[in-house]
Amino acid sequence: MTADEQITLWLAQLRAAGRGVLVARMVIAVAGIVALVVPAVQPWDQADLVPIAGAVLLVGTVVLPDSLAGMIFLFVVALGWLLRGPAAPSWGLVVTAAALVVVHLAAAFAGQMPSYARVHRAALRRWWLPGAIAVVLTPAVAVATALIRGADVPGSLLVTVAAITLTATTIWFTAGQTLGRD
């Protein structure tokens, strides 16, 4: 297949794409831009490679949400913060964490279907509640973990693991999942 045939095919798929697919990919793009911009405007010096590699990986994630690009994007942004960012919790960290969760959830949603799929509102509604819980609880668990770690509480690792497990379980059951087989 030549390049012009490939572009024609992509344009035809884009024209055939439903609103749900386009919304999911726009959410990936907007949340990914937030996850790249917030660390870049922080007062500490971020590695120059993070926004460059992150931008390329973000484009790959928007185009192919079920590819490895999304996971590597999350890893690059988080690693960029861990390498040079401050250890204390901040609003920038909370916003970046929430943006990364949104990228992850939107890529998981968009990666389940081909680009030309039609998505009904019932499918979108099934993702709203778990997504909202994840966006709210993830920064809350991160801040609570940082506060517990700073307080030098005995067993703080167990408290952190329990909080993350409770968050994951809450999201699992609000998504309508069951422990039994269908």
Side-chain angles (χ1 to χ4, degrees):
M1 183 177 283
T2 63
D4 60 339
E5 291 172 334
Q6 185 67 35
I7 292 171
T8 302
L9 177 65
W10 285 340
L11 290 174
Q13 288 176 344
L14 183 62
R15 282 190 300 272
R19 184 178 300 158
V21 172
L22 294 176
V23 166
R25 291 176 187 227
M26 288 304 298
V27 168
I28 293 170
V30 170
I33 289 169
V34 169
L36 285 174
V37 169
V38 170
V41 299
Q42 298 300 315
W44 45 272
D45 184 31
Q46 184 181 29
D48 294 337
L49 185 61
V50 171
I52 295 168
V56 171
L57 291 167
L58 181 60
V59 170
T61 304
V62 170
V63 174
L64 298 170
D66 61 339
S67 69
L68 194 59
M71 186 177 75
I72 297 173
F73 173 79
L74 299 173
F75 179 73
V76 165
V77 173
L79 187 65
W81 192 289
L82 288 173
L83 288 176
R84 300 242 177 123
S90 65
W91 283 109
L93 177 63
V94 171
V95 170
T96 303
L100 290 178
V101 168
V102 170
V103 168
H104 170 69
L105 291 173
F109 179 76
Q112 293 181 17
M113 63 199 91
S115 62
Y116 52 85
R118 298 282 179 187
V119 180
H120 295 285
R121 289 185 182 193
L124 291 173
R125 273 189 241 127
R126 184 174 178 170
W127 279 81
W128 284 115
L129 181 60
I133 289 171
V135 168
V136 170
L137 286 183
T138 300
V141 168
V143 169
T145 301
L147 293 175
I148 290 172
R149 187 183 69 191
D152 198 26
V153 175
S156 61
L157 178 62
L158 295 176
V159 172
T160 302
V161 170
I164 292 171
T165 304
L166 180 63
T167 302
T169 304
T170 303
I171 293 168
W172 175 269
F173 284 117
T174 56
Q177 303 298 322
T178 61
L179 295 176
R181 298 188 84 162
D182 290 333

